[in-house]
Amino acid sequence: MARDRSSTARRAGVLAAALSALTLTGALTAAHAPLTARQELRRTQPKGHDVSSHQRSVDWYAARADGARFAYIKATEATGYRNPYFTGQYNGARRAGLIRGAYHFALPNRSPGAAQAAYFVRHGGDWRADGVTLPPALDIEYNPYDKHHKCYGLSRTRMVRWIRSFSDEVRRETGRRPVIYTTANWWRACTGDSRAFAADHALWIASHGSAGPGRLPGGWRYWTFWQHGTRGDLPGDQDLFGGSGTRLRAFARGR
């Protein structure tokens, strides 16, 4: 995920069948489809990107012209950091016609999940069923500040409880469960491949340099967003939505 400060900026029958495989969010997975189908899906799925303060001033109109249809923008980290460019980035994306949402970078060793969720919602992570606002997203991955504590010093049980606390607070304040951004490796290592969230949380899977996102973690059968690279046509990290443009708008509305 694009992070801030000292962190590094981080075909027809087959296609039709794949497009009908919708989850509670209406998303699909092409992870196990034939290569030609995966290539066709990537041509037809809405493109997007995620940015943070690392990108600063984004030319959103140019991004739209280059194919962007949605964006996630970093709002907060833990309970003491706010992206100083968030408002301009968030409003700029909307003015250019993108469906946009906010994400929070989790630091589970710093404060409780509910506290970080409340801080996030207060500083950009809110949601409205207006069709142009994506649900809040939780970015949870390897600790970028301490390579010796990749799971932030939490046991798998405590990590699952932390994520649940964050999710419950986001739902209480916004009416939506957060999208969960993670990698398969981190999820397995740090939650024990918990299946506690697959039924009611959309998955934003990070898997770079491959034709598909690969095996999904934690009981998820489908992905909603796939971050497939850190460089490309769009500013920041490169993403796809796992359905049609119509489905993307419906997902934003909470349907």
Side-chain angles (χ1 to χ4, degrees):
M1 180 70 77
R3 292 194 289 268
D4 304 292
R5 295 178 286 184
S6 61
S7 301
T8 305
R10 325 179 269 327
R11 163 204 282 217
V14 174
L15 175 60
L19 287 170
S20 66
L22 303 178
T23 64
L24 67 113
T25 66
L28 57 88
T29 178
H32 306 295
L35 179 59
T36 53
R38 294 201 299 267
Q39 292 169 334
E40 183 65 21
L41 284 165
R42 290 187 65 169
R43 283 195 290 269
T44 59
Q45 291 166 303
K47 295 199 309 182
H49 54 137
D50 56 89
V51 302
S52 69
S53 69
H54 181 79
Q55 283 71 39
R56 299 196 177 198
S57 298
V58 177
D59 189 337
W60 294 104
Y61 291 95
R64 170 79 183 184
D66 286 336
R69 295 298 177 263
F70 68 90
Y72 263 108
I73 296 115
K74 179 173 180 177
T76 53
E77 183 174 305
T79 56
Y81 175 77
R82 298 166 60 185
N83 173 6
Y85 304 97
F86 174 79
T87 299
Q89 292 173 336
Y90 192 76
N91 294 337
R94 180 62 206 128
R95 284 194 298 268
L98 276 66
I99 298 174
R100 80 286 189 258
Y103 76 85
H104 172 82
F105 190 83
L107 293 178
N109 58 331
R110 301 283 181 87
S111 50
Q116 292 196 27
Y119 182 80
F120 173 43
V121 172
R122 287 197 307 270
H123 301 295
D126 205 354
W127 174 79
R128 290 179 296 172
D130 53 11
V132 296
T133 305
L134 292 168
L138 171 65
D139 175 358
I140 190 155
E141 54 182 286
Y142 287 118
N143 187 345
Y145 303 116
D146 187 347
K147 65 181 181 180
H148 300 297
H149 295 90
K150 295 181 177 182
C151 299
Y152 302 90
L154 273 65
S155 69
R156 292 171 172 179
T157 298
R158 289 180 60 202
M159 184 64 74
V160 170
R161 288 174 180 167
W162 192 98
I163 297 168
R164 177 58 67 184
S165 175
F166 184 97
S167 175
D168 286 349
E169 183 64 18
V170 168
R171 184 184 183 189
R172 188 186 72 80
E173 297 205 27
T174 72
R176 291 289 299 265
R177 290 285 186 189
V179 174
I180 294 179
Y181 168 99
T182 194
T183 68
N185 287 340
W186 185 91
W187 195 261
R188 291 171 190 137
C190 300
T191 74
D193 211 27
S194 172
R195 305 168 80 88
F197 303 93
D200 54 359
H201 291 73
L203 174 65
W204 182 1
I205 186 70
S207 181
H208 305 157
S210 59
R215 182 184 171 207
L216 303 180
W220 275 287
R221 297 178 58 207
Y222 309 104
W223 53 270
T224 300
F225 297 100
W226 169 28
Q227 184 190 90
H228 57 86
T230 58
R231 296 181 181 180
D233 296 336
L234 304 175
D237 298 326
Q238 312 296 294
D239 300 287
L240 287 177
F241 174 73
S244 66
T246 297
R247 188 60 219 166
L248 175 61
R249 291 187 290 273
F251 176 65
R253 290 194 299 271
R255 299 178 184 178

